[in-house]
Amino acid sequence: MTADGYLFLTDEHKMIRQAARDFAEKEIAPVAAEYDESGEFPVETIKKMGEMGFMGIEVPEEYGGAGMDTLAYVLALEEICKADAAHGTIMSVNNSLFCFGILKFGTEQQKQKYLRDVASGQAVGAYALTEPMSGSDAGTMRSRAVREGDHYVINGRKSWVTSAPVADYVLLFTMTAPEKQHRGITAFIIETDRPGFVRGKKEPKLGIRASATSEIVFEDYRVPVENRLGDEGEGFKIAMSVLDAGRIGISAQGLGIAEAAYEASLSYATEREAFGQKIGEFQGVSFKLADMKTRIEAARLLTYHAALLKQRARETGERYTLEASMAKLFTSETAMFCAHAAVQIHGGMGYSKELPVERYFRDAKITEIYEGTSEIQRVVIARLETRLK
Ligand code: CAA
């Protein structure tokens, strides 16, 4: 059964998925290898994605977005990632970390001021939580914001910030009261064209190479109080709650990569011959394909289910932390499983840059690391399910 078989897809869902598929095949797939090689940020395609409404799918139209639901976002992201996961990373951070954070926690004034450009792809949004000495233990950050009248002065360093080399705005999490530990973290909306915002070294990455990633350094950066997102001390909960949404995006990304790896393998297995027959006729290859397909369909259900719960949360306010973590964990491991199998099925050609399969393999790995490693997802799931702490 393909995704078309799912009863809960409306005509609108099918329409956005088809639009994303057509765009990805026409505009992204032909340039993906080139951007992967150069590591250049794909400015033009991202702008076009903005024009298509893909950079703010869940943002209401009044704030410049497409005004669609979470499943629409996931379906579109999956298609973009099938063509190129790096474009998908930029889209995902823009939609489910930056825009969602402001939409959920911002004031009306903040929404009016910051959503329109980012949701329409005219500007790029980023999310800065990690620091050189604070990764999975996000509550231990060392950067500081000190209040001085109607401003805060920020000093410190953030690392592994997706889109930081080009971002116009950054959702920043930093300590305003270090003695309170995670309860002393506060969120801010940062405009990157102000003094004291310094873009640091760009990371030379294994995969998703066109999604520029770098450090950010704050040197006496002054942010007005009206740019604080939520109250002082609410930053950690905002960061975690936004990551719940982000993890559904990474799950959709893993799904797209897994599908691309599977489809490439299926077609290679029905063309390539060895020992006088199609290699797909060998049990060793056909079993790999069977496992890939089964895991993909399970991953799809987890991803779509988490998306539906996030959508429902708009009315109920219920958390979907568990389902987002399970979806991200299973789908990212499925992406890695499928990309690994795809390289093996392709043999030498899977190891060559002549085909995109080696790129799927390199891109898949990040889904097990960012927005919470697989180990962190297991911590979240175990704690929520067993109440062990
Ligand atoms: N939603 C709302 N609140 C939440 C929450 C959630 N999902 N998860 C935790 N909280 C709240 C808790 O209820 C608790 O509240 P109280 O203070 O009232 O008790 C508080 O936050 C602290 O929770 P924990 O005790 O569970 O916190 P912890 O220190 O043990 O950390 C963790 C939990 C799961 C390990 C968390 O730190 C975590 O997810 N770490 C991984 C961070 C991560 O994903 N980093 C990736 C950064 S983004 C990125 O990858 C870059 C990019 O550009 C894409």
Side-chain angles (χ1 to χ4, degrees), residues 136 162 182-183 237 243-244 247 319 371-372 383 389:
S136 292
T162 299
H182 74 265
R183 290 189 180 135
K237 286 190 186 178
L243 275 174
D244 287 345
R247 287 168 184 167
R319 270 174 61 176
E371 299 200 28
R383 281 182 182 178
K389 262 209 134 189

Side-chain angles (χ1 to χ4, degrees), residues 91-294:
M91 175 177 166
S92 155
V93 170
N94 215 68
N95 274 272
S96 47
L97 293 186
F98 186 86
C99 289
F100 176 71
I102 302 216
L103 208 50
K104 182 160 182 199
F105 296 100
T107 61
E108 183 55 32
Q109 195 196 8
Q110 288 169 340
K111 289 180 199 171
Q112 291 289 355
K113 186 167 178 193
Y114 294 108
L115 280 179
R116 185 164 301 280
D117 282 357
V118 178
S120 60
Q122 296 304 307
V124 175
Y127 173 100
L129 177 69
T130 303
E131 297 187 358
M133 295 306 292
S134 159
S136 292
D137 53 343
T140 61
M141 59 185 63
R142 296 178 184 188
S143 62
R144 301 282 183 262
V146 177
R147 183 146 181 183
E148 282 183 8
D150 57 0
H151 279 72
Y152 289 83
V153 179
I154 303 178
N155 279 288
R157 188 178 285 265
K158 290 285 171 185
S159 46
W160 293 107
V161 183
T162 299
S163 299
V166 297
D168 299 281
Y169 305 112
V170 177
L171 199 53
L172 170 76
F173 301 89
T174 186
M175 279 283 185
T176 45
E179 70 287 356
K180 293 186 186 165
Q181 298 169 335
H182 74 265
R183 290 189 180 135
I185 294 171
T186 303
F188 295 94
I189 305 164
I190 298 297
E191 297 182 11
T192 62
D193 60 356
R194 296 198 181 179
F197 182 92
V198 183
R199 298 178 211 266
K201 90 175 161 66
K202 200 173 149 198
E203 298 296 342
K205 303 195 301 287
L206 173 74
I208 53 159
R209 288 174 39 76
S211 75
T213 309
S214 78
E215 286 196 336
I216 303 171
V217 186
F218 290 90
E219 293 173 347
D220 289 332
Y221 179 97
R222 290 173 68 78
V223 59
V225 171
E226 70 242 28
N227 278 35
R228 194 182 65 213
L229 192 70
D231 286 333
E232 274 195 19
E234 283 186 351
F236 190 75
K237 286 190 186 178
I238 294 177
M240 290 300 118
S241 160
V242 170
L243 275 174
D244 287 345
R247 287 168 184 167
I248 299 175
I250 303 309
S251 193
Q253 180 176 49
L255 188 55
I257 298 170
E259 286 175 295
Y262 171 70
E263 285 175 18
S265 302
L266 191 60
S267 107
Y268 193 73
T270 51
E271 282 161 19
R272 171 79 179 175
E273 290 186 8
F275 302 99
Q277 63 183 51
K278 310 279 184 212
I279 60 167
E281 289 166 19
F282 288 107
Q283 199 176 56
V285 172
S286 68
F287 277 16
K288 276 193 176 62
L289 292 167
D291 286 343
M292 289 161 91
K293 178 66 181 164
T294 306

Side-chain angles (χ1 to χ4, degrees), residues 322 377-388:
L322 175 68
Q377 306 313 324
R378 288 186 166 90
V379 167
V380 172
I381 296 161
R383 281 182 182 178
L384 286 169
E385 270 302 280
T386 62
R387 310 285 162 203
L388 290 176

Side-chain angles (χ1 to χ4, degrees), residues 23-64:
F23 181 86
E25 283 171 6
K26 186 161 160 268
E27 304 278 350
I28 300 179
V31 296
E34 205 177 301
Y35 278 111
D36 172 59
E37 186 68 27
S38 71
E40 208 181 296
F41 188 89
V43 179
E44 290 311 316
T45 30
I46 292 298
K47 280 237 161 71
K48 285 186 196 165
M49 283 166 66
E51 286 157 20
M52 296 286 294
F54 299 154
M55 298 308 279
I57 292 180
E58 293 180 80
V59 175
E61 289 173 44
E62 60 188 296
Y63 303 123

